[in-house]
Every structure is written in structure tokens, then in C-alpha cells.
Amino acid sequence: MARPLILVSNDDGITAPGIRTLVEVAREIGEVVVVAPDGPQSGMGHAITIGNTLRLDKSIAFDDMDIEAYECSGTPADCVKLAKHHVLKDRKPDLVVSGINHGSNSSISVLYSGTMSAAIEAAIEGLPSIGFSLCDYGHEADFSHTRPFVKQIIEQALKHRIPENTALNVNFPKKSGENIKGIKICRQARAKWQEEFDERLDPRNRKYYWMTGSFVNFDKGEDTDEWALINNYISVVPCQFDMTAHHAIGILNEGWQF
Amino acid sequence: MARPLILVSNDDGITAPGIRTLVEVAREIGEVVVVAPDGPQSGMGHAITIGNTLRLDKSIAFDDMDIEAYECSGTPADCVKLAKHHVLKDRKPDLVVSGINHGSNSSISVLYSGTMSAAIEAAIEGLPSIGFSLCDYGHEADFSHTRPFVKQIIEQALKHRIPENTALNVNFPKKSGENIKGIKICRQARAKWQEEFDERLDPRNRKYYWMTGSFVNFDKGEDTDEWALINNYISVVPCQFDMTAHHAIGILNEGWQF
């Protein structure tokens, strides 16, 4: 059997340590092609580039591993679109993986996440896909404990497939003294970021702001991604791109008058 | 009773004709505050500004109507966050409305939409919210036929409330000779954009790309937003921010081996 073709992208940019870890693991399993942003694209959500041009250039970032790689001026979703319809026009990836993100993309962060937007874009394109994130924002983050699990999850995805129209959102606990307890399939916790704005003055005395904030989890459920991560499990949330609140259709039809 | 407080944002920027229409209608119903991007932010999805500073300045864009307005350097989601936690720190909007977008945000476009990201961000913040879009991309688009319906929908939302944790995605058919048939509560159609990349050479002979593409609707359902719009109805899709594919949790738990 031919080795599976695995497309790798991310949102921290093609030179981030996280994507290097992911490529190193993916190449043990299949043939790898990388199409990733040429710089950081964190927090880009499901942005795409529509009013601007896009650049796509061959990258030397993975020459040491002899892996075909491209860097793109656009967003993670752009990268997947360019990969599918341009770079891999005549070949179909067996799996798309994104990450490993430097920082959590659990619960509500999935909406803001460039890592997950690459995975969700792949799912829209009908490609099985997984976004991987580590709950450690540091550039120097230690990804070593994720490797055997990344490999296991990719192998399971290739063997058992990912349910149609879903992308997996995988988050790893930060490396600690304790061993990871295992993998849990979860739902997205009800949580939000509580923003604060740090107001400052620039050298010309004009105001500007830094967005800061803290994460608030309203959800006590033990079937959530937040519960899993706090308890040192890897969380896997299947995500869909149908945003319809189906339960609300009946409520609106009954309550509203047109 | 005090007049309701309505926060208005958009993604085409504070000077777009669409937001002017929305403000004109909203001020007939309540007190209006505008916090909108200082320039176009189309296709920004649920992007937020995390690695950069934000500007927020008083705007003169609605001085002729004596309306408090601010322009922000960030994304639509940033605008709502700044409005909630800074501009309206001591007041709570009764409703957040976004748009009216120049162009459709029906079906899959909800994911790429800056207009809807403002509405969804408001829902995450616990605020009732509606995104309005017109299926006409032109800067010169005619919004006149939307006015009575925008008013009706805002009034209904204030009277009957919007189901918790949902934001409404409202799309209007482009103005035509035919009258609009009415309003339909719908689900998001299964559809996608089929991208193509127009490859060109810059003056230095380096390649660049324009993303183009066509919309493909796979969904024949008569309960979808696409069906409603094609049949000259206004589509209203309640959207949620829980991305979990709940049905897939069981599939993964049964099929995968950990």
C-alpha cells in the first residue's frame, strides 16, 4: 500500500517549533507536504484573504528532512485552500494536520484559533483533519510528551477515519512531572475569555490598547475538554462547521411574529 | 420605559453605506452607539488582535445624526470586545447588531464572515445579537427594501428575545423587481466555496495569486437559508458557538482504540 499523503499546516508560522514536531511525527507515518503561513497568524480565526493578493513560495524550512514545503503570506485557511486547489491539485491528501499550536485551543478558543481554522477548512473541503495544540504558550515549549500520542491519533484517524464533516480539536496538557493519563473524547466546555484592555499612551501621546484577559470556565461537566485537560488527559473534541442552533429554530418559529 | 441601547458594528468599516442604513433604522427604535472597524475587515472570520496594539478613536462618521461612534483598528470581534469592556463598561446593550454587510453571509460564509463574528462575539458575551447581510456585494448596493424588515426583526428580537447562546444570521435577497415574500427561520445549507487561484506575475517577475471561486450548494433542502434566498425570502439562521459535533462523540468512542 502507498504511504498516506499528509498535508501539514499551522498558525504560528512555518518556522515554529510546534510544526517541526508535527512534521517529524507525520513523516514516520506517511509522505508529508507542508503549506504554512510565512509568519505568525495566531488568533486569525477563520479569516481568509479576499481583498489582497497572496504569495506562495517554496520554503527551505524542512530541507534538512527532504520535505516539500511552501510558505504563504495568507491565513491558515488560505494555506489549506492553496494546498488543496493549487499545490496538491492532482493529488488528494489522506489527512490534514495543523499545529502543534503553542497554546491552548480548547473550549471557546476553537473559534479564535488559526490552527483549528486550517483543520475546519480541510473538513469543509471533505478532507479528514486534526488540529493539535499544546497548553503552553512559550516559544520554548516542550513538545516531547506529545509525540507518541500525536502518532497514535494520526494512525487512528487514518485507520478508523474521522466522522464526515468534522475536524478533531486535540489539546495536550502542558508537560509536567506527572504522566498523561490518556485520551478523552469530549465536548467543548462553555467558557469565555474575560477581556480587559490595558490603555497606554504612545510617544505622541495618543492612546492605544493591549487586549489582555483571563479565561473563565462556566462548565462543571466532566465530559468537557477543560475537565480533561485539568485532569491531565488529552482532550479530543470533534468539531463541525454547521453553526445552526437547531434547537432554536422551533423556539423562533413559535415565539416570533412575522 | 427607557429606550433600548443598541450597539452597532460591521465588517465593511464605519463609512460603509450598509452600516449607515442599519444605524438609521436602529435609532428609530433605541439609543445607538457605534463601534466599528476603521477600514474594511471582510473575510476576517472570528479573528482577534492578540500580537498587536489596538487603536480606538472617537469617530465623526455619525455626527450628522448626533450618534456616539468609535472607529477601531481591529477586527469586528475586537470591536465588540472593546465596546463591551471599555466603551460601554458601565452600561449593558440590550441588543448588538452588525452589518448591513455588502454581500451574502449565508450558509458556509458564516464561518468567514466578519459581520457574523461581531454578532457571535456578542452572543459569547451573553448579549442578544443579530448580523444582517444583503446578497449584493456592490458598494452602491440598494438597501432600501431591507429597512422595514430590519426594523421588524430588531423589534421582535427586543420583544421576544433571542434564544440564549445564539446569534441570528439574517440575509436579505438582492433588490429586484419582485417584492420580498417574507421571513423564514432556516438552517445553514451544506455548501462550500470552490476556490480557484489566479496566478500572475508582479513587475519583478515574482508570482502572486488572487483567490477567486464560485459558490456550490450541495443541499436541496427547502428548510435552508439558500433555498429561502433563491425564493426571495429573508433567511434567519440561529447560530451557536458550540462547535462540538455531538453525534460524533459516540462514533469516536466506539470506533477508536486508545
Side-chain angles (χ1 to χ4, degrees), chain B residues 127-155:
Chain B
L127 303 173
S129 64
I130 311 170
F132 293 100
S133 305
L134 173 66
C135 296
D136 185 341
Y137 290 90
H139 189 77
E140 308 296 327
D142 186 344
F143 289 92
S144 60
H145 62 305
T146 70
R147 285 176 183 260
F149 295 105
V150 170
K151 189 168 183 188
Q152 188 187 359
I153 291 167
I154 290 178
E155 283 171 343

Side-chain angles (χ1 to χ4, degrees), chain A residues 124-191:
Chain A
I124 293 171
E125 293 284 356
L127 303 172
S129 64
I130 311 170
F132 293 100
S133 305
L134 173 66
C135 297
D136 186 340
Y137 290 88
H139 189 78
E140 309 296 326
D142 186 343
F143 289 91
S144 60
H145 62 305
T146 70
R147 286 176 183 261
F149 295 104
V150 170
K151 188 167 184 188
Q152 188 187 358
I153 291 167
I154 291 178
E155 283 170 343
Q156 291 285 313
L158 288 166
K159 190 172 168 196
H160 300 294
R161 316 302 296 165
I162 292 169
E164 223 180 327
N165 298 326
T166 67
L168 302 185
N169 182 15
V170 178
N171 280 266
F172 295 97
K174 186 175 173 165
K175 178 136 187 182
S176 71
E178 197 193 349
N179 280 340
I180 282 178
K181 285 197 192 123
I183 298 170
K184 278 214 185 287
I185 313 293
C186 308
R187 65 174 172 85
Q188 175 184 326
R190 269 176 295 108

Side-chain angles (χ1 to χ4, degrees), chain A residues 25-251:
Chain A
V25 175
R27 72 196 285 246
E28 293 174 17
I29 300 165
E31 183 192 347
V32 171
V33 174
V34 178
V35 183
D38 59 13
Q41 290 275 344
S42 295
M44 284 307 281
H46 211 92
I48 50 172
T49 302
I50 49 181
N52 253 310
T53 56
L54 285 165
R55 295 284 187 176
L56 179 77
D57 295 297
K58 268 272 201 183
S59 167
I60 59 164
F62 296 96
D63 275 7
D64 59 327
M65 294 187 231
D66 208 21
I67 281 172
E68 188 180 340
Y70 302 83
E71 53 191 59
C72 171
S73 61
T75 65
D78 291 332
C79 289
V80 171
K81 286 178 186 289
L82 268 163
K84 171 92 188 327
H85 298 288
H86 187 79
V87 176
L88 299 174
K89 211 170 180 170
D90 306 315
R91 306 166 67 193
K92 192 179 169 183
D94 297 288
L95 186 68
V96 179
V97 292
S98 175
I100 302 172
N101 191 59
H102 294 241
S104 165
N105 280 317
S106 59
S107 67
I108 196 70
S109 301
V110 67
L111 285 178
Y112 307 106
S113 163
T115 304
M116 278 309 294
S117 82
I120 288 169
E121 186 60 40
I124 293 171
E125 293 284 356
L127 303 172
S129 64
I130 311 170
F132 293 100
S133 305
L134 173 66
C135 297
D136 186 340
Y137 290 88
H139 189 78
E140 309 296 326
D142 186 343
F143 289 91
S144 60
H145 62 305
T146 70
R147 286 176 183 261
F149 295 104
V150 170
K151 188 167 184 188
Q152 188 187 358
I153 291 167
I154 291 178
E155 283 170 343
Q156 291 285 313
L158 288 166
K159 190 172 168 196
H160 300 294
R161 316 302 296 165
I162 292 169
E164 223 180 327
N165 298 326
T166 67
L168 302 185
N169 182 15
V170 178
N171 280 266
F172 295 97
K174 186 175 173 165
K175 178 136 187 182
S176 71
E178 197 193 349
N179 280 340
I180 282 178
K181 285 197 192 123
I183 298 170
K184 278 214 185 287
I185 313 293
C186 308
R187 65 174 172 85
Q188 175 184 326
R190 269 176 295 108
K192 60 168 270 196
W193 286 90
Q194 182 70 41
E195 272 82 20
E196 283 169 38
F197 290 92
D198 184 352
E199 186 178 302
R200 303 190 180 185
L201 287 176
D202 73 14
R204 288 175 187 80
N205 269 327
R206 221 183 117 207
K207 281 181 197 166
Y208 68 98
Y209 301 86
W210 286 105
M211 193 190 293
T212 65
S214 49
F215 181 72
V216 192
N217 183 10
F218 308 111
D219 201 327
K220 303 275 174 269
E222 299 194 357
D223 55 347
T224 66
D225 48 3
E226 293 306 326
W227 188 92
L229 291 164
I230 287 166
N231 288 280
N232 213 27
Y233 288 93
I234 295 161
S235 66
V236 178
V237 177
C239 294
Q240 62 189 2
F241 46 84
D242 177 6
M243 304 279 284
T244 312
H246 289 276
H247 70 282
I249 291 177
I251 298 173

